[in-house]
Structures are given as structure tokens and as C-alpha cells.
Amino acid sequence: MRVPVLLCVLLCVSAAPGPVSGAGADKSCTDLRQFYTGKGFTLVEVPQTEISGEHLRMCPQGPTCCTTTMEENLAGLSSRETEGLIREAGRSLQSAFNALHRSFDTYFTELHGRSERSLQEVLSPLGPLYSQNTRLYADLYTDLRQYYRGSALNLDETLTEFWSQLLERTFKISAPTDVTLSDDYLECVAKQQETLRPFGDVPRDMKAKLIRAFVTARSFVQGLIISGEVVRKVSQVHLSPECTKALMKLVYCPHCRGTASLKPCSNYCSNVMKGCLANQADLDPEWQNLIDTMIQVASSFSTEPSLDVVLSSIPARIYEAVHFLQENLDKFTDKVYQTCGNPGELGTGSPSVHEQRKKSSSLTASEYKPSPTAGLRLEMQVSDLSSKLREMRQYWIQLPVALCSKLAAGGANQEKCWNGVTKARYLPEVMGDGLANQINNPEVELDITKPDMTIRQQIMQLKIMSNRLKNAMEGNDVDFQDASDDISGSGSGMCFGVQCHRNRAFDYSPDTTRSRGAATFQTRLCGLLLLLPLASLLLQR
């Protein structure tokens, strides 16, 4: 009976757990130990050979080289690395917006500068009316530049004020030297601008075109800044604990199982990333709406009258207006006398101005257009802006795809990839985009009734910016003061000249003497009305 007993003992020993020789021996954890230390962790309590995986909470249970602590460490690492990839992709997109901003800002600033430099060439035939009032014309360009930079000027009032001052000075310089015109009298003269239209149709036509050009240009630049800021803020949103678990299972559980060479199945990776980035994907509708609107605005720059024509023709339009007044000065003077009274015999005006009226030509804005090269540059600018913006349209729904392209197995290896449990095809269907479509996501547990509030705020910013751009295309002025709490571009690298030191993209100086417009007044009025109920309650106590 001794032989059968010995055989039974040997069989029992061979069936017991523990290292044995041959094919059944526990696998070494040498590869994982090297990998683990390479990620910056210590080898404290790291097993030398595989252990039972009953303690695992994220990876499939079974023989493993990972302890509970290692599983937690690698889970945190997978989350941090994925967040890093998201931020890296965001920085790349921010850089693209920065490049678009620099390109357009350089173009617009040069266009504005060339127009201003042409003032002397175009207006010098006006004689003293130009030489004695260079500051007036320079101030107009300064105001236009500040408006583009974001100053809270009311552009309509700014242009009206310019024409009023130009009318006063034209009337004053036309008077004989022995006639003194009081400030009150000149103010009365200026008030006749709307009714008597001394400059013809130029002020009204030029105002409409300038407002449309500058409002759209300023709104477009602000759209680029807002877009970059949305990317920055959303790219910094931390991943949820549920996503951390899913990423651990996706990325590092193969290492714990001793199958480090296995890459995740493509569809498996897609479900994990779509679940982790569900809130980000909800940006997509408003994001595409904003991008499409910015493309429309960019296209409007080349619509007649194009942006370069409007800016380049400012001096010529001013000349045209003054020439119209000089040609009709006698008629205008008679009508002014009827309204403002006769300050004295004005005669035919000072000799220099009278002589200048004879020399005046019939130059019009239509005869002063930018060169064909300038028009070609505008076309190239619009084309470049539009094509690059189109590349950004689907960024948020393509982000999971981009991340999986770095992590997942290629299309030919879908039968021999990590499916979250073993080396085999991944069978579940791929979820749609956005939070609502993750209700049945097999990889990431999500409460679809609790969206991320930071991302919801950015969705609202996109919607607000789209509406502003659409209003701008209609020539409606835009007040940016009610924008988000931090749209300055801090972190985006975007700011405007002297405003950079304030960390604000748009500067609203408190000492600005010009009217802020109706929008500012309404904001203050609303604030006052909100305080009234509180005051009433306090008085009742």
C-alpha cells in the first residue's frame, strides 16, 4: 500500500500553490518591477513573482504582479497622464488661435496705419483746413484704433463728434479774419449737420461702413480670444474617479496581468475616452456654431465694400466731404444765418480758402482704392483664416479619437488586443458623443443628470460670443463688458499692446471721457433696480 500512498502525496503536493519547476512555475515580476520604477515609484512591497489577484479592485482578478497600492498608484498615474495629453492637445489648439490672432491683428494694424499715413497726401490740397487741423484727423484714427483694441468708445458718437468739429473748423476758417465766431455760435453751426447735411451723404455713408468694418474686426478678434480661453479652461478640468478607474483598466491592467505588450482594442479605448470626455463633447454644438460664425465674419471682410477699401478710403472720403461743403458753402452759410443769426459779414471767406476752392478737384473715394496687391492680400488672409478655422470645427468630438490613436491597437489587430479582460476582440458597441449618450457606457459609470458646471459655463460663453458676432455682421455695436469673468487671455498668450500689462484683452479705462453708450447705461440701471428690493427690506426692519 505504500506506493499508492506516495503517489497520492505527490499528487497533492503538485496541486498545492507555490513555486514549482517546469511550465507551472509562477511567473517572474522582473519586467513589471522595471516598468514600475521607470514610472518613478519605489519597489517597496512589490512582489518578485506573481501573486493571487483577489485584492484587485480595478483590474480583472487573477494572477498578478500588482498589489493594492500599486494598482492605486498606477491608476493615479494613468489619470495624470491622460490629463496631460488633454492639456497638450489644448495648448496646441490655443497656439493655433494665437497664430490666427497675430496674423489678423498684424494685417488690420498695417491696413489702419497705411490709411493714416496717406492723410497728408490726400488732404494736403485742402490747405489750412488740413495743416491747421492735423490733430483732429489724427485723433479720429486714434479713436478708431482704440475702439478696435477694445476701448468702450461709442463709435457712432465718436464719428458724429468728428464731423461736428470738422464742420466748425471749416466754417470758422472760411470766415474773414475780422469776424469773431463765438463758441456758442460755432456750436449752433455744428448742430446743423443732421438737418442741412453740409458734407452731403459722406458722413452717413462713411459712418455705416466704418462701424460695420470695425465692429466685425473687433468682434472677430474677440471671438479668437474667447475660443482660446474656452479651450484652456476646459482642458484643465480634472477627470472623475470613475474615469480614473476606467483608465487604469485600459492602460495599466495589461502590465499587472503580465501582458504589457498588448495594446487596448480601438473600440474599447473609444468607449473609455467618450465616457471620460462626455462633458467636453457637449461643447460641440455651440463650438461648431461659433467656428462657423467666425468663418462667416472672416468672409464678410472681402464683401464689397471690402475691409481694405473701407479703411484705405477714409482720407479720400473726408476730402470728398469737405470739397462738397466748399462747393456749397454760400448756400450753407445762408441757411446757418437763418437759424443761428448773422455774426457779421462773412464775405467770401479768407483768400487762402477761397483760392483753394478754385483749385479743388472732384476726387472721390471710388477713385482712391487700395492697390490690387492689397486686395490679393485680403483674399489670402480670408482664405487662410477660413481654412484653419474649419480644421478646428470638430475638435471636441475628435479628441477621444486623437487620444486613442496614441494608445490603442491599429485596425488590423482588433482580434489580438486588450479588451479589458483578456486578449480578444472587444464586443460592446461604441457609444455616441456627449453626456446623454453615456447612459449605457459599459466602461465608465456616469451620472448623466450631473453635468460639469465649469464646462456648462464655457458652453454659455460660446453661445454669447456667437450672438455677438452675428450682431456684428449686421453692423450692431458690441459691448464686451459683460463677458466672462476671465476672458483676458491670461494663459492664452493673447492681449493687445498697452493692455497686456493689465492682463486684460480689452481695456476699459475709467478716465475715458467719451460716452460708453446705451449698453453701459442700461447695465448701471439694472444694477440700481436690483438694489431697490434689498433697500426696501432693510427699511422695513
Side-chain angles (χ1 to χ4, degrees):
M1 295 295 294
R2 290 182 178 179
V3 174
V5 171
L6 181 59
L7 288 174
C8 288
V9 170
L10 290 174
L11 288 173
C12 290
V13 169
S14 65
V20 293
S21 61
D26 287 341
K27 293 182 180 179
S28 170
C29 293
T30 301
D31 290 343
L32 180 63
R33 288 166 65 88
Q34 292 178 351
F35 167 78
Y36 194 65
T37 55
K39 291 294 183 179
F41 301 110
T42 64
L43 290 176
V44 177
E45 296 183 359
V46 177
Q48 295 284 350
T49 58
E50 283 186 341
I51 58 176
S52 170
E54 296 175 355
H55 58 279
L56 297 176
R57 294 293 177 266
M58 304 178 210
C59 297
Q61 294 185 347
T64 183
C65 285
C66 289
T67 64
T68 301
T69 300
M70 294 172 65
E71 190 180 37
E72 291 175 352
N73 288 341
L74 289 173
L77 177 64
S78 66
S79 181
R80 291 191 300 273
E81 288 178 338
T82 303
E83 288 176 348
L85 290 174
I86 294 170
R87 286 193 296 270
E88 181 183 346
R91 283 192 292 268
S92 177
L93 187 57
Q94 280 182 268
S95 296
F97 277 115
N98 281 341
L100 290 180
H101 170 262
R102 285 193 301 271
S103 175
F104 179 77
D105 186 60
T106 299
Y107 169 76
F108 189 86
T109 302
E110 289 179 357
L111 197 62
H112 184 277
R114 283 199 301 272
S115 178
E116 185 174 11
R117 288 191 296 273
S118 70
L119 274 171
Q120 183 175 0
E121 175 188 352
V122 179
L123 297 184
S124 56
L126 297 178
L129 189 55
Y130 170 71
S131 60
Q132 295 178 19
N133 296 286
T134 54
R135 182 63 181 271
L136 174 65
Y137 306 113
D139 284 348
L140 171 64
Y141 276 87
T142 299
D143 287 341
L144 291 174
R145 184 182 297 107
Q146 288 180 348
Y147 178 84
Y148 166 71
R149 296 294 188 196
S151 177
L153 292 171
N154 185 307
L155 202 52
D156 187 292
E157 293 180 4
T158 297
L159 292 169
T160 298
E161 178 66 17
F162 166 77
W163 289 110
S164 295
Q165 290 189 40
L166 184 59
L167 178 58
E168 288 181 18
R169 299 181 189 199
T170 305
F171 194 84
K172 185 176 181 179
I173 206 170
S174 300
T177 55
D178 57 341
V179 174
T180 301
L181 300 175
S182 67
D183 291 341
D184 289 341
Y185 191 87
L186 289 173
E187 184 177 349
C188 180
V189 173
K191 288 179 180 179
Q192 310 313 308
Q193 182 181 176
E194 284 299 320
T195 54
L196 300 182
R197 296 170 62 192
F199 295 116
D201 293 329
V202 172
R204 187 175 301 177
D205 180 64
M206 179 176 162
K207 179 189 292 185
K209 291 174 180 176
L210 274 180
I211 287 178
R212 179 180 175 274
F214 275 82
V215 167
T216 51
R218 183 169 87 158
S219 301
F220 182 76
V221 167
Q222 185 66 358
L224 294 175
I225 294 174
I226 288 287
S227 300
E229 276 299 289
V230 167
V231 173
R232 181 181 68 85
K233 290 182 178 180
V234 173
S235 297
Q236 292 176 347
V237 172
H238 292 294
L239 300 175
S240 67
E242 292 75 20
C243 178
T244 297
K245 294 177 183 178
L247 286 169
M248 171 60 192
K249 186 179 176 183
L250 176 78
V251 179
Y252 289 130
C253 283
H255 290 266
C256 291
R257 293 296 300 272
T259 55
S261 60
L262 279 184
K263 283 193 171 186
C265 300
S266 178
N267 288 350
Y268 172 37
C269 182
S270 293
N271 275 344
V272 172
M273 292 304 177
K274 282 175 181 280
C276 290
L277 298 172
N279 283 283
Q280 286 86 338
D282 281 343
L283 285 159
D284 181 66
E286 288 303 329
W287 177 263
Q288 291 205 33
N289 184 34
L290 176 58
I291 296 296
D292 288 341
T293 306
M294 283 199 287
I295 291 173
Q296 291 176 27
V297 172
S299 298
S300 74
F301 293 145
S302 58
T303 303
E304 292 297 332
S306 61
L307 190 64
D308 55 346
V309 170
V310 172
L311 266 69
S312 299
S313 64
I314 292 175
R317 298 310 308 271
I318 294 173
Y319 181 92
E320 181 184 350
V322 174
H323 177 70
F324 181 89
L325 174 59
Q326 289 178 337
E327 289 292 307
N328 299 276
L329 187 59
D330 294 337
K331 295 178 182 178
F332 175 70
T333 301
D334 291 339
K335 292 179 180 179
V336 168
Y337 286 169
Q338 295 173 15
T339 305
C340 303
N342 192 338
E345 290 298 325
L346 292 184
T348 57
S350 61
S352 59
V353 174
H354 184 62
E355 181 180 348
Q356 184 59 45
R357 287 167 60 188
K358 291 181 178 179
K359 293 180 179 179
S360 295
S361 65
S362 57
L363 177 69
T364 63
S366 60
E367 295 169 342
Y368 190 82
K369 291 184 177 181
S371 66
T373 304
L376 180 60
R377 186 179 176 189
L378 175 59
E379 290 181 12
M380 292 176 62
Q381 183 74 214
V382 170
S383 176
D384 185 60
L385 290 169
S386 299
S387 63
K388 292 210 166 80
L389 285 169
R390 287 190 185 94
E391 294 173 1
M392 305 171 179
R393 284 185 79 250
Q394 296 185 317
Y395 173 78
W396 296 108
I397 57 175
Q398 288 179 346
L399 185 55
V401 178
L403 294 176
C404 285
S405 68
K406 300 176 181 293
L407 298 173
N413 298 315
Q414 296 310 300
E415 298 289 344
K416 301 177 181 180
C417 51
W418 173 252
N419 66 3
V421 179
T422 187
K423 176 182 178 181
R425 173 175 286 274
Y426 182 76
L427 299 178
E429 65 176 341
V430 177
M431 299 294 101
D433 299 303
L435 188 60
N437 287 319
Q438 306 310 310
I439 189 170
N440 294 318
N441 192 316
E443 309 305 334
V444 186
E445 294 182 11
L446 289 170
D447 185 348
I448 64 171
T449 66
K450 295 180 179 179
D452 186 281
M453 296 313 298
T454 297
I455 293 178
R456 297 294 137 175
Q457 291 171 358
Q458 298 313 303
I459 291 174
M460 183 57 64
Q461 286 303 312
L462 294 174
K463 186 176 295 186
I464 291 171
M465 194 65 240
S466 294
N467 289 334
R468 286 176 176 161
L469 284 164
K470 289 172 183 176
N471 284 327
M473 283 192 291
E474 300 296 324
N476 297 327
D477 204 349
V478 181
D479 184 355
F480 288 112
Q481 284 180 295
D482 62 341
S484 70
D485 56 334
D486 181 21
I487 60 169
S488 63
S490 56
S492 69
M494 297 181 187
C495 57
F496 289 119
V498 296
Q499 280 77 26
C500 290
H501 73 278
R502 304 177 66 131
N503 286 328
R504 298 286 301 173
F506 280 70
D507 183 25
Y508 298 98
S509 303
D511 59 347
T512 303
T513 56
R514 295 188 182 276
S515 168
R516 265 58 174 171
T520 304
F521 172 76
Q522 291 172 356
T523 302
R524 293 174 179 170
L525 180 60
C526 291
L528 180 60
L529 291 174
L530 288 172
L531 290 175
L532 288 177
L534 178 60
S536 176
L537 288 173
L538 292 174
L539 290 173
Q540 291 175 5
R541 293 188 173 182

